[in-house]
Structure formats: C-alpha cells, structure tokens
Amino acid sequence: MIFAAGLGTRLKPLTDSMPKALVPVGGRPLIDHVLHKLEMTDVKKVVVNVHHFSSQIVDYLDRHAPANIDIRISDESKQLLETGGGIKKARPLFDNSEPILIHNVDILSNACLDSLYNVKADAVLLVSDRLSSRRLLFDDEQRLVGWKNMITGEMKSPFSWVKKADDDNQLRRLAFSGIHLFSPTLFPLMDEWPERFPIVDFYLKACAQKEIKAVIQQDLRLLDVGKIDSLTQAEQFLIQS
C-alpha cells in the first residue's frame, strides 16, 4: 500500500495545484519512484489511498502505472483518515492471507524491502539509528515497547516498566522510516478504533498483545521529501543511489 492521500502542505505552492504524489523529482513523480521500488521487490498488487487532488493521481496511474502491477484505489476524498485509518478503510482491497507492505509516497531510500519478510511478527517496522526527535523504543529482542519525544521527554507505552528501562539505557531508541509490514492478523484490533487514527498510535497499543518488531538496516539512507527545500536534496539523492 502506498500512502498518497496527504495534503502535502509543506510542499506548497507546488501542492496548490497537484497532489504530493505527483511532485516531480528527477523528472518523475514521487509515486513513480515508489512503484519502481515495489516492482523490484516483485510486488504484484498495490493499493493507493487518495484524497488531495485524487483524480489527478487516478488519471496518472491509469496512464503510467507498471503493466505488471494491479493498482487498486482506496478513495478518501470525503475525509482524510491518517495512516491507521487509511489501512483500516482499505481492508476489503487486500488479500487477507498475505502481509501488507506499507510505504509512504514521499520517502526515497535504499531500503532493503525484502528484509522485512524475513521476520516473523504481526508487524515489522523498518528503523535505523539516525537523527530524529521522535524515537520508537525496542527491547533487546527488537520488540516495540514504546515511543519517546527526545526533546520534551514525553513517552507513550502500554507497559509500566518502560520508563525505568529507558532511564537505565536498557532500550534501543530508533527512528521509524515510514516503511513497514502489516499482518492481516492485526485487523480485528482495529475494529475498536475510530475511522481516523495514526498507525504508530495503533502499534503502540497493539504491542501489548501482538509482536511488533524492528528490522534495523545499518546502512539505511532515507530522505523524507516533505518540504520544498528537500527537493534539491532529493535530486542529489537519486544521483547517488
């Protein structure tokens, strides 16, 4: 699934007339780069959620999507549902016997997507030890146990012991890439959630019942193409990749 429904407010004025997914980098829209990466991972079916200038994305995919990928559209035109709500709404479009690879449309990376499939868990999060003010917390078996804002000290966790463990430096603080593998076994837990919610909040509650694990890619190079000034960096990123 490609998250392509965002408003792209940090990319204004470009996104005043086009969706973030179609912002060009290296002469090709962002969504093209993600589709190519998924194609190289042998993905055959992709769900794309749409909201902002949704018809532009649908029209573009009709004309330019890879012929060997079956594209399904999850339409959020009436309401933007955030990352968790987007997955929940798209549930009927998935084959519930297979894990779902989730990828933000504005992420460029050298991520080894195949590595996520090698971990047995209900969700697998690609993370790295890079500069970020918000970190996910993992125990010594790479299981998600919490979240921390490194600036304010705010923490979220379903476990009472996490704060002490973090104070004692017993947990790994790692930055989330926006790329993850979601098992359909998690869908029943979403029934109690509203239409709109972030997937990280869901994982932080679900980790008390399910195994949410990390894959750490030591050499991960990742760029969030979320701001106007990141477009030049993105061009250079592609040259170096």
Side-chain angles (χ1 to χ4, degrees):
M1 181 176 186
I2 300 176
F3 285 148
L7 298 174
T9 52
R10 295 180 299 163
L11 283 170
K12 286 178 172 289
L14 292 176
T15 48
D16 287 337
S17 58
M18 70 173 69
K20 176 169 58 175
L22 298 187
V23 169
V25 174
R28 297 162 54 200
L30 280 168
I31 198 168
D32 253 16
H33 295 288
V34 178
L35 283 170
H36 177 71
K37 193 166 188 65
L38 295 178
E39 190 177 18
M40 294 300 100
T41 313
D42 205 30
V43 169
K44 300 300 183 187
K45 184 167 78 172
V46 174
V47 173
V48 181
N49 69 339
V50 295
H51 173 80
H52 185 56
F53 291 115
S54 57
S55 62
Q56 289 188 31
I57 299 176
V58 173
D59 291 345
Y60 181 84
L61 292 173
D62 283 344
R63 298 194 309 271
H64 300 290
N68 60 333
I69 294 183
D70 176 13
I71 303 286
R72 309 285 179 90
I73 299 296
S74 182
D75 190 354
E76 297 180 23
S77 295
K78 293 182 179 179
Q79 182 185 13
L80 188 60
L81 300 176
E82 298 192 54
T83 49
I87 296 172
K88 181 178 179 179
K89 177 179 173 59
R91 180 178 183 178
L93 302 175
F94 298 122
D95 176 354
N96 285 334
S97 66
E98 299 290 341
I100 302 156
L101 180 65
I102 313 290
H103 199 300
N104 288 354
V105 77
D106 56 1
I107 294 295
L108 299 178
S109 77
N110 67 339
C112 178
L113 300 181
D114 288 329
S115 66
L116 277 69
Y117 292 90
N118 297 328
V119 178
K120 186 177 181 181
D122 295 290
V124 184
L125 316 183
L126 181 65
V127 296
S128 64
D129 189 7
R130 68 182 190 280
L131 185 64
S132 175
S133 61
R134 293 172 293 181
R135 302 288 188 106
L136 294 176
L137 306 177
F138 296 88
D139 67 13
D140 57 4
E141 295 184 0
Q142 313 297 6
R143 293 176 300 194
L144 178 68
V145 295
W147 171 93
K148 183 174 184 178
N149 185 314
M150 305 302 294
I151 297 174
T152 66
E154 178 191 2
M155 294 184 69
K156 297 178 183 179
S157 174
F159 304 108
S160 59
W161 51 266
V162 162
K163 185 179 186 311
K164 185 177 187 307
D166 180 65
D167 289 343
D168 294 340
N169 293 314
Q170 295 176 355
L171 301 177
R172 297 200 68 174
R173 303 165 179 171
L174 299 165
F176 183 37
S177 66
I179 301 170
H180 45 123
L181 200 64
F182 178 97
S183 169
T185 59
L186 292 171
F187 274 127
L189 296 184
M190 284 186 165
D191 290 342
E192 65 186 59
W193 286 72
E195 280 189 297
R196 181 179 181 181
F197 60 94
I199 191 60
V200 170
D201 285 357
F202 172 80
Y203 284 151
L204 288 169
K205 183 174 181 181
C207 68
Q209 305 173 56
K210 299 285 188 175
E211 279 207 317
I212 317 293
K213 286 196 166 185
V215 162
I216 305 167
Q217 183 172 330
Q218 301 293 353
D219 67 341
L220 183 65
R221 293 176 56 245
L222 182 143
L223 181 64
D224 178 354
V225 191
K227 299 178 182 178
I228 285 290
D229 60 8
S230 66
L231 293 177
T232 301
Q233 298 174 51
E235 299 277 352
Q236 191 62 35
F237 186 97
L238 294 176
I239 291 171
Q240 295 173 356
S241 297

